[in-house]
Amino acid sequence: ITGTELTVEHEGRLFHLTLLVESQAGYHNLCRLLTKAHAPTRDGRDRRATQPRVPLEELAERAEGLICLTGCARQGLVPAAWADGDLGRGETLARKLRRWFTPANLRIEIQRPYWRHDHARNRWLADLARRLELRLVATGNVHSHRPDRARLQDALVAVRLGSTLVDSEPH
């Protein structure tokens, strides 16, 4: 499966979505989105010095051939609205994604990272999926293809953050 966890900017905040390639057009669109995310900013700043991102609205033009998951429990576009107590914003964003990706290619993502209120968040997301006639997908936060590679992933995260292994653990 080819895809990415893409950072999108919406109303001055950064959120995550997962995009999975479904077709050649989707691969083309994913490449375009990633190129845009890493391109210099309008004022010429290097994106490598900040977190690569695209404006949320950019997805409207690049949705063809991609399957979109609404984001992880912590920083996902739709789940973050629940954490903020703004359920209306979450539904509005889910409807917008539904329009861009179609019901066939949008999934409401649920996770269980064993945090307080996991069940309540997942119930709200499942209810939202029912109301919008979308499918649910349960995901985990996997960062390596084999368990023995997890230590390498931890080291790479620490290097990226310029941090120690201990301090980079939450990331």
Side-chain angles (χ1 to χ4, degrees):
I1 298 173
T2 301
T4 192
E5 182 177 69
L6 184 69
T7 301
V8 295
E9 187 169 10
H10 179 63
E11 297 179 348
R13 291 179 58 192
L14 301 180
F15 301 96
H16 294 163
L17 293 173
T18 299
L19 298 176
L20 304 173
V21 172
E22 180 183 55
S23 66
Q24 188 67 34
Y27 185 78
H28 174 82
N29 283 327
L30 182 65
C31 289
R32 292 290 184 174
L33 287 166
L34 291 172
T35 299
K36 174 119 180 159
H38 288 84
T41 62
R42 286 188 179 158
D43 62 2
R45 285 183 291 146
D46 189 345
R47 276 275 190 229
R48 290 174 294 187
T50 64
Q51 184 166 0
R53 68 191 79 149
V54 296
L56 177 64
E57 303 300 322
E58 192 77 25
L59 295 173
E61 301 168 24
R62 299 282 176 204
E64 181 186 354
L66 293 171
I67 295 171
C68 177
L69 311 184
T70 57
C72 62
R74 180 175 296 213
Q75 293 177 291
L77 182 67
V78 175
W82 183 88
D84 294 342
D86 192 350
L87 305 184
R89 184 182 88 221
E91 183 166 341
T92 298
L93 290 168
R95 286 183 185 281
K96 186 179 287 195
L97 293 172
R98 185 182 191 272
R99 198 169 51 251
W100 296 342
F101 289 94
T102 76
N105 284 7
L106 177 63
R107 308 290 189 276
I108 299 289
E109 183 175 353
I110 59 174
Q111 289 186 340
R112 180 101 195 275
Y114 299 100
W115 300 338
R116 181 177 282 173
H117 309 298
D118 278 350
H119 290 296
R121 182 192 59 254
N122 286 341
R123 278 192 302 272
W124 175 73
L125 289 166
D127 182 59
L128 180 63
R130 272 190 296 278
R131 284 187 281 118
L132 299 182
E133 299 178 343
L134 298 170
R135 291 181 272 181
L136 284 175
V137 61
T139 64
N141 207 3
V142 177
H143 290 273
S144 58
H145 66 293
R146 293 189 343 227
D148 63 326
R149 298 293 296 238
R151 291 175 58 193
L152 174 60
Q153 172 65 20
D154 292 346
L156 292 172
V157 169
V159 168
R160 178 175 55 87
L161 296 173
S163 180
T164 66
L165 286 170
V166 172
D167 290 342
S168 67
E169 180 62 30
H171 302 280

